[in-house]
């Protein structure tokens, strides 16, 4: 992650808004507007404190339209994970890693690009996936199973990319791909949690730079 960064601008997660409403009808467009507004509200205050009234006020959408698409707040929250958070991880992490046999370079590039795009607001709010996993996993099985599935997919795609890298001669043969994938995800999410608790973007950038450097240990020389 690059320490020479902007401190203003649109939050990083907004750069990856779900675009499924593109070319769809008005009903689907309304649904996607509700999902994005719900994501924003949940990211700022958490799911339990999130207000449906505020979501409706921010979007100008009627209560009837909300309940046409989602039966209740819990269903809306689950859809945010399925259709906003998961889409983000697919775009940023899963697809690039599925297509590479040089995972060290790919992971470093994603980290550097993420650092360039992150704002002070991102550091203040933290990782939406981690936030929801911490808040809701002990409370609701629907949230717990969805967050676990995203974490599993993230770790598995890193592990598979590392194994391809070993076959291609880009990763040291003795690298334990599974353990490195677990360590990478846990470290990055820990970096996000630390930056949120300290409200420090600079600390997040330092943590990211350290992770980028540590990845070099597994590159075949």
């Amino acid at each position: 992650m690059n320490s020479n960064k902007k401190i203003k601008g649109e939050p990083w997660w907004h750069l990856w808004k779900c675009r499924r409403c593109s070319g769809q009808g008005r009903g689907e467009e309304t649904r996607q507007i509700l999902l994005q507004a719900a994501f924003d509200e949940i990211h700022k205050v958490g799911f339990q404190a999130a207000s449906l009234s505020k979501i409706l006020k921010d979007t100008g959408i009627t209560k009837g339209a909300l309940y046409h698409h989602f039966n209740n707040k819990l269903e809306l929250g689950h859809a945010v994970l399925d259709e906003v958070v998961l889409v983000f991880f697919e775009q940023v992490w899963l697809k690039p890693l599925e297509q590479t046999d040089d995972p060290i370079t790919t992971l470093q590039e994603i980290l550097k690009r993420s650092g360039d795009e992150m704002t002070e607001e991102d550091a203040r709010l933290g990782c939406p996936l981690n936030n929801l996993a911490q808040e809701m996993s002990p409370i609701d099985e629907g949230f717990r199973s969805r967050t676990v599935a995203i974490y599993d997919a993230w770790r598995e795609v890193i592990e598979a990319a590392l194994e391809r890298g070993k076959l291609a001669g880009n990763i040291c043969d003795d690298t334990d791909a599974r353990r490195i994938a677990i360590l990478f995800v846990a470290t990055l999410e820990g970096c996000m949690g630390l930056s949120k608790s300290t409200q420090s973007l600079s600390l997040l950038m330092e943590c990211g730079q350290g992770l980028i450097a540590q990845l070099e240990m597994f590159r075949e020389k």
Side-chain angles (χ1 to χ4, degrees):
M1 295 185 179
N2 189 342
S3 60
N4 297 320
K5 10 190 343 344
K6 63 184 180 181
I7 59 173
K8 297 181 180 179
E10 191 172 29
W12 181 47
W13 292 87
H14 279 206
L15 301 176
W16 299 94
K17 288 179 180 178
C18 178
R19 293 180 174 83
R20 291 184 182 180
C21 59
S22 178
Q24 301 296 321
R26 181 175 295 179
E28 180 61 18
E29 183 176 358
T30 297
R31 189 174 189 279
Q32 295 303 324
I33 291 170
L34 285 167
L35 281 170
Q36 190 59 54
F39 168 83
D40 292 341
E41 173 73 355
I42 292 167
H43 194 193
K44 290 175 182 175
V45 302
F47 176 76
Q48 295 177 83
S51 166
L52 292 181
S53 296
K54 187 174 187 305
I55 291 169
L56 294 176
K57 180 180 179 181
D58 289 345
T59 59
I61 292 171
T62 65
K63 185 180 291 187
L66 169 66
Y67 286 110
H68 171 74
H69 293 285
F70 306 100
N71 289 325
N72 49 50
K73 180 182 173 182
L74 188 61
E75 185 176 298
L76 175 60
H78 291 169
V80 165
L81 272 172
D82 292 337
E83 300 181 47
V84 181
V85 177
L86 176 58
V87 167
F88 167 86
F89 276 88
E90 287 174 343
Q91 292 175 336
V92 175
W93 293 102
L94 305 190
K95 290 180 181 178
L97 285 163
E98 286 171 349
Q99 299 167 4
T100 186
D101 63 4
D102 184 9
I104 298 304
T105 298
T106 300
L107 288 167
Q108 289 172 333
E109 288 175 347
I110 295 172
L111 287 169
K112 289 174 183 176
R113 184 169 62 250
S114 300
D116 289 339
E117 293 170 348
M118 249 176 213
T119 67
E120 296 283 358
E121 181 80 347
D122 293 311
R124 185 180 71 79
L125 296 179
C127 171
L129 177 61
N130 191 33
N131 292 349
L132 285 171
Q134 296 294 323
E135 178 192 5
M136 297 302 297
S137 289
I139 299 173
D140 177 70
E141 177 60 22
F143 272 100
R144 192 200 68 81
S145 62
R146 285 168 169 83
T147 56
V148 167
I150 296 173
Y151 278 129
D152 284 349
W154 193 7
R155 289 187 292 101
E156 288 165 6
V157 77
I158 294 172
E159 180 182 351
L162 289 168
E163 293 292 355
R164 286 195 306 275
K166 288 162 71 172
L167 293 174
N170 294 321
I171 301 293
C172 298
D173 287 338
D174 61 352
T175 298
D176 188 324
R178 174 177 168 79
R179 289 184 180 179
I180 298 309
I182 293 170
L183 183 63
F184 179 88
V185 171
T187 301
L188 185 55
E189 288 293 76
C191 290
M192 292 295 296
L194 184 61
S195 70
K196 179 180 179 180
S197 64
T198 58
Q199 301 284 278
S200 173
L201 179 61
S202 62
L203 192 61
L204 177 59
M205 295 301 106
E206 287 187 60
C207 195
Q209 288 163 3
L211 187 52
I212 287 169
Q214 288 298 308
L215 286 169
E216 284 296 327
M217 295 173 55
F218 309 106
R219 192 191 296 275
E220 183 65 56
K221 306 300 182 184

